[in-house]
Amino acid sequence: MSAQTSPAEKGLNPGLMCQESYACSGTDEAVFECDECCSLQCLRCEEELHRQERLRNHERIRLKAGHVPYCDPCKGPNGHSPGVRQRAAVRCQTCKINLCLECQKRTHSGGNRRRHPITVYHVSKVQESLEGEEMDEETKRKKMTEKVVSFLLVDENEEIQVTNEEDFIRKLDCKPDQHLKVVSIFGNTGDGKSHTLNHTFFYGREVFKTSPAQESCTVGVWAAYDPVHKVAVIDTEGLLGATVNLSQRTRLLLKVLAISDLVIYRTHADRLHNDLFKFLGDASEAYLKHFTKELKATTARCGLDVPLSTLGPAVIIFHETVHTQLLGSDHPSEVPEKLIQDRFRKLGRFPEAFSSIHYKGTRTYNPPTDFSGLRRALEQQLENNTTRSPRHPGVIFKALKALSDRFSGEIPDDQMAHSSFFPDEYFTCSSLCLSCGVGCKNSMNHGKEGVPHEAKSRCRYSHQYDNRVYTCKACYERGKEVSVVPKTSASTDSPWMGLAKYAWSGYVIECPNCGVVYRSRQYWFGNQDPVDTVVRTEIVHVWPGTDGFLKDNNNAAQRLLDGMNFMAQSVSELSLGPTKAVTSWLTDQIAPAYWRPNSQILSCNKCATSFKDNDTKHHCRACGEGFCDSCSSKTRPVPERGWGPAPVRVCDNCYDSRNVQLDVTEAQADDEGGTLIARKVGEAVQNTLGAVVTAIDIPLGLVKDAARPAYWVPDHEILHCHSCRKEFSIKLSKHHCRACGQGFCDECSHDRRAVPSRGWDHPVRVCFNCNKKPGDL
């Protein structure tokens, strides 16, 4: 800005002398006027002063012929009318200050100052014209803001008070295609945030409510449109105020900060307090951790023409003091912004999210406050579009709505001890694992996008929830991770056959790729644990509202009862078909090695009569072939096969050749001794047929509670149908949906569908809501 003065310019302003006395002792003629130093400066003083880093960006102009400076008291610390900058009428030679007529009357009308010599400025016609143009422009701007009113944008409960984009634009009173920026203000309650906005943007009009009362005059978030600067101005509720929704209020502030292009932090303290640096530092951390990702997602989801910048807004710290010097005044070699960064580092806060941080201070010797410096700083920042560009008001509303929908809901503890202004609990999912108590690390309301719960740490096993998940070891070794579920029967078994196999061989583990890989009682003795042989285990978290941890054989008893009930109904409806199938399979399980399996016996080995489904097949104890009843009605002892001296069923051919000794090896005879066969038959009858008969004979209602799976709602808690809300009675029976476990009437749960995630591989009762779900249940 500095330049050499030509000799021709000398003497153009004979009454204007340097007011700084920094390098010239006040003896040189003034050449420049610095608006921020509030003084006229000679060439030498201007160069020396503005060589310093903190003064380098001051706005200064070169004086022209007939120049009249501004009144010093009007624009200085003792100014009586901030924002209205009067030109000087006289200069006091003793006080060495320029005075307008009003300031001269106020300061030099009495006492010894009345005798001070003065020099009168003669205002030229050019100067009068310029002043007239300035006044006209000022009047025009004031008129543009006369009808501006504010409206409640978000209440103290984080509820948006405008219904849609059109409503937002109508209340803002701007054009839909107008490009705007957003300016918001933060600070402690009582520091004059609303007052600052009124004087900075609206020439002192009370657009935002102010009050001398102790209660906060601003509750929630209010907005107004400044047509002069084309910005949406947002006023927020103050920090440290008396509120019952402290956590929600604090979270709301960050949502406003996230949609802002420029943030003013207003502080009316003689010294900058730590809460200013903690608030901005914590806001930066929360912005980067929780809001950056959501702003990107909002841009993609809403198809916005102007992408929402993931870089935070610019920050202006507006500091007003009364008794102390402004930041950096006692350190001329250091700029205030560097001192602010040092304070952030000392407190362990790093405001990396903000695009820039600026300091603007004003010292108020006598009220009112001078906001002209803040206004100029704001205008300078609003013109900078390198990181954040103006956008349509609809985009602003979409961004606020998206953030409000994502980061809403209950906060676990509203009275928590705050080590941070924005703890992660304000923005992360509040669900806690029922087994280990750790919280979900995903953001709030992530379930709306189908994102499952996720924790940072591993879970611990809880017997109550049995939160183990099995994966097939063979598939894992091939690079795949396939979950397997212990259940009563394989998917290929019919209900009654699966029931018999469960009673005989125990529960089964079936892999979709490898088939049945384990049965709990596959051998008479020496059965190994599946974890040691065929599966891997993983402990998973148990989240409220989910039931993935119940995907095991905990409902085996209910499936057993359902299978028995189905089998009993099948016996009455389908005659002896299911019973014959179970009997044939059971016979094969306990049959000696020389018996022909039932599945291979299609006709009588003697008369060749084909067997029907209900026909009984008989094995000859001597030869082991299958016969009809008429061809195997005779009996005789068969000790050579291990049946002892008692007569047993034989076919007609073996009865006729009873004197012929069968060729049976000694080892065979030992393996199939009578005691072994008797034990097999006895245990089979006890484990299978005995269990079936008992379950059918005893009313199923007496054992329902004992067999109820863990995810089923207990019968005594079910008073109404979960869907149609009909009240249950003796005539209206209760039915459990095998998928969700809720209670329904028959009309609302008559659908049948397999529920493999619960261990039901065959169609079972489900409610109509679960039946509508796509994919496997």
Side-chain angles (χ1 to χ4, degrees), residues 373-475:
L374 173 63
R375 186 185 300 110
R376 288 192 297 273
L378 285 168
E379 290 172 349
Q380 182 180 358
Q381 290 300 316
L382 290 172
E383 292 175 0
N384 182 5
N385 296 326
T386 55
T387 56
R388 299 174 78 91
S389 302
R391 53 207 181 277
H392 293 139
V395 176
I396 298 171
F397 176 79
K398 285 181 179 179
L400 180 62
K401 184 71 167 58
L403 296 177
S404 181
D405 291 343
R406 169 50 65 92
F407 302 105
S408 62
E410 294 292 330
I411 296 176
D413 185 5
D414 195 49
Q415 303 300 326
M416 67 175 68
H418 297 298
S419 58
S420 144
F421 273 96
F422 302 99
D424 289 343
E425 289 81 3
Y426 286 2
F427 310 100
T428 55
C429 178
S430 59
S431 295
L432 300 177
C433 174
L434 300 177
S435 180
C436 66
V438 71
C440 174
K441 70 176 185 179
N442 290 332
S443 61
M444 284 185 165
N445 302 309
H446 60 87
K448 294 180 181 179
E449 299 179 356
V451 179
H453 293 289
E454 189 178 357
K456 295 180 180 178
S457 59
R458 298 180 63 182
C459 193
R460 62 170 181 264
Y461 177 74
S462 172
H463 178 74
Q464 176 185 359
Y465 300 106
D466 194 17
N467 52 331
R468 290 175 298 185
V469 171
Y470 295 138
T471 55
C472 177
K473 186 176 291 187
C475 291

Side-chain angles (χ1 to χ4, degrees), residues 560-578:
L560 186 62
L561 286 180
D562 283 358
M564 292 175 180
N565 191 25
F566 183 84
M567 183 175 179
Q569 294 173 359
S570 298
V571 170
S572 61
E573 296 173 3
L574 306 175
S575 185
L576 300 177

Side-chain angles (χ1 to χ4, degrees), residues 587-597 619 621 641 643 672 677 680:
T587 302
D588 289 338
Q589 301 305 307
I590 64 175
Y594 67 95
W595 280 23
R596 183 179 296 277
H619 282 86
R621 270 53 172 174
R641 289 291 194 183
W643 295 96
E672 296 165 357
I677 294 178
K680 281 187 178 181

Side-chain angles (χ1 to χ4, degrees), residues 668-679:
Q668 230 176 347
D670 290 341
D671 291 341
E672 296 165 357
T675 55
L676 177 60
I677 294 178
R679 185 168 70 245

Side-chain angles (χ1 to χ4, degrees), residues 315-336:
V315 176
I316 295 179
I317 298 175
F318 181 51
H319 183 203
E320 181 181 4
T321 66
V322 177
H323 305 290
T324 58
Q325 294 179 337
L326 298 175
L327 189 65
S329 297
D330 51 346
H331 299 282
S333 60
E334 295 185 358
V335 293

Side-chain angles (χ1 to χ4, degrees), residues 494-554:
S494 60
W496 53 83
M497 186 61 70
L499 167 66
K501 288 185 178 181
Y502 175 75
W504 176 260
S505 302
Y507 71 86
V508 63
I509 296 178
E510 183 179 20
C511 171
N513 299 328
C514 308
V516 176
V517 295
Y518 180 80
R519 285 189 182 274
S520 60
R521 295 197 303 273
Q522 186 171 4
Y523 308 105
W524 287 99
F525 61 89
N527 290 295
Q528 292 182 308
D529 189 274
V531 178
D532 300 330
T533 54
V534 295
V535 298
R536 298 173 64 253
T537 59
E538 180 182 354
I539 309 302
V540 297
H541 292 281
V542 184
W543 303 107
T546 60
D547 41 38
F549 58 90
L550 295 172
K551 297 176 181 179
D552 57 9
N553 63 334
N554 284 349

Side-chain angles (χ1 to χ4, degrees), residues 274 277-278 331 334 338-351:
N274 284 346
F277 300 95
K278 290 181 179 179
H331 299 282
E334 295 185 358
K338 184 178 184 304
L339 298 175
I340 287 175
Q341 293 292 343
D342 291 341
R343 286 285 298 274
F344 275 118
R345 281 192 292 272
K346 289 178 181 178
L347 293 172
R349 261 62 173 187
F350 302 94

Side-chain angles (χ1 to χ4, degrees), residues 131-327:
E131 289 181 2
E133 291 178 2
E134 289 180 4
M135 293 299 294
D136 290 342
E137 183 66 24
E138 197 78 7
T139 304
K140 183 179 178 181
R141 290 186 174 189
K142 284 183 180 180
K143 191 171 184 180
M144 291 174 65
T145 61
E146 283 180 355
K147 296 182 180 180
V148 175
V149 293
S150 62
F151 64 94
L152 181 62
L153 179 59
V154 187
D155 66 11
E156 67 273 18
N157 297 319
E158 297 184 290
E159 296 290 338
I160 297 180
Q161 299 300 298
V162 290
T163 54
N164 49 37
E165 294 178 41
E166 291 74 19
D167 189 28
F168 176 71
I169 295 171
R170 180 180 60 80
K171 289 185 176 180
L172 206 58
D173 195 19
C174 67
K175 296 179 180 179
D177 57 350
Q178 178 68 58
H179 285 75
L180 311 178
K181 282 192 173 184
V182 180
V183 177
S184 58
I185 192 165
F186 300 90
N188 294 335
T189 184
D191 273 359
K193 300 186 303 301
S194 303
H195 180 75
T196 300
L197 295 180
N198 290 338
H199 282 270
T200 304
F201 293 98
F202 306 109
Y203 300 94
R205 286 188 59 248
E206 192 170 340
V207 173
F208 295 104
K209 181 183 176 183
T210 60
S211 171
Q214 280 293 318
E215 293 77 15
S216 296
C217 53
T218 302
V219 177
V221 173
W222 294 72
Y225 174 61
D226 175 16
V228 176
H229 299 94
K230 294 182 174 55
V231 295
V233 185
I234 296 181
D235 190 14
T236 63
E237 187 174 347
L239 298 169
L240 306 182
T243 178
V244 294
N245 299 320
L246 177 61
S247 300
Q248 287 186 330
R249 191 276 315 277
T250 311
R251 182 171 62 185
L252 174 59
L253 294 181
L254 191 61
K255 296 177 190 177
V256 175
L257 184 145
I259 65 168
S260 301
D261 300 289
L262 188 58
V263 168
I264 305 169
Y265 192 99
R266 171 72 156 106
T267 177
H268 198 300
D270 278 339
R271 293 175 178 84
L272 295 179
H273 296 161
N274 284 346
D275 58 357
L276 180 155
F277 300 95
K278 290 181 179 179
F279 175 85
L280 293 176
D282 294 340
S284 171
E285 182 180 355
Y287 186 95
L288 292 174
K289 187 182 295 185
H290 303 290
F291 278 66
T292 298
K293 180 180 178 182
E294 185 59 26
L295 289 172
K296 289 181 179 178
T298 302
T299 301
R301 185 169 57 250
C302 300
L304 303 182
D305 298 332
V306 180
L308 299 174
S309 175
T310 55
L311 185 64
V315 176
I316 295 179
I317 298 175
F318 181 51
H319 183 203
E320 181 181 4
T321 66
V322 177
H323 305 290
T324 58
Q325 294 179 337
L326 298 175
L327 189 65

